[in-house]
Amino acid sequence: MPFYKKAFQKKTGVYYPKAIVQGKPVETETIAKDLAKISTVSNSDVQAVLGDIAGVMHTRMAQGKSVHIKGLGYFRYTLDTVGVKNEADFDFEKQKKAVRVEFIPERSKLANGAYTRALVDSDQLEWIELSPETEDTTPGGEEGGEKNPLG
């Protein structure tokens, strides 16, 4: 069950629900053990493949491709840049602030014509409210953590 808290946005003066992550992240080793339990592949084989996936994805994205992992979604590089008014002032290296990775969950069409996203089954999620003082504890979370590693 996911968690949320009431958050106040000073700029707009409104309260809104904000998703909060609690506890330590689930590490690759745990995911590998879970996958090994539901497949015919050993834990060590799963860990070996998962350990290499980032490098393989980087290589393909560095070739200008997006990466599609069936059932999960799409990954691609995007740019955080600043613009210039005059085309003569265009300088990619000076205008590029950061390279980011965009993730778009895979979607599938439902019988009623609507779409649903992989990893999100809204009807099956029961959200639990936490106190407003609760902080996001995931590294890369917006509160109290390092900058988001995905961009």
Side-chain angles (χ1 to χ4, degrees), residues 33-129:
K33 287 177 185 174
D34 291 348
L35 287 169
K37 288 178 189 174
I38 62 170
S39 70
T40 58
V41 183
S42 73
N43 176 38
S44 58
D45 289 338
V46 174
Q47 284 194 46
V49 171
L50 290 176
D52 290 337
I53 196 166
V56 171
M57 290 174 66
H58 163 72
T59 299
R60 293 300 185 163
M61 290 188 296
Q63 296 170 347
K65 305 283 187 181
S66 65
V67 174
H68 175 217
I69 299 181
K70 191 174 183 178
L72 186 61
Y74 298 82
F75 297 82
R76 70 182 191 126
Y77 284 139
T78 62
L79 294 171
D80 184 5
T81 60
V82 293
V84 293
K85 290 185 180 185
N86 299 315
E87 187 176 354
D89 296 330
F90 188 92
D91 183 332
F92 178 81
E93 290 303 323
K94 289 181 181 176
Q95 291 176 254
K96 177 184 69 168
K97 292 178 12 183
V99 177
R100 303 193 187 284
V101 175
E102 178 182 58
F103 167 65
I104 301 170
E106 188 160 311
R107 68 181 193 161
S108 53
K109 196 168 188 174
L110 301 174
N112 65 5
Y115 286 91
T116 185
R117 293 280 186 183
L119 307 177
V120 179
D121 190 356
S122 297
D123 296 337
Q124 303 295 321
L125 296 176
E126 179 185 342
W127 289 85
I128 308 267
E129 183 177 0

Side-chain angles (χ1 to χ4, degrees), residues 4-15:
Y4 76 94
K5 71 176 182 180
K6 292 177 192 170
F8 182 72
Q9 188 177 51
K10 293 177 187 175
K11 186 176 181 179
T12 59
V14 298
Y15 288 90

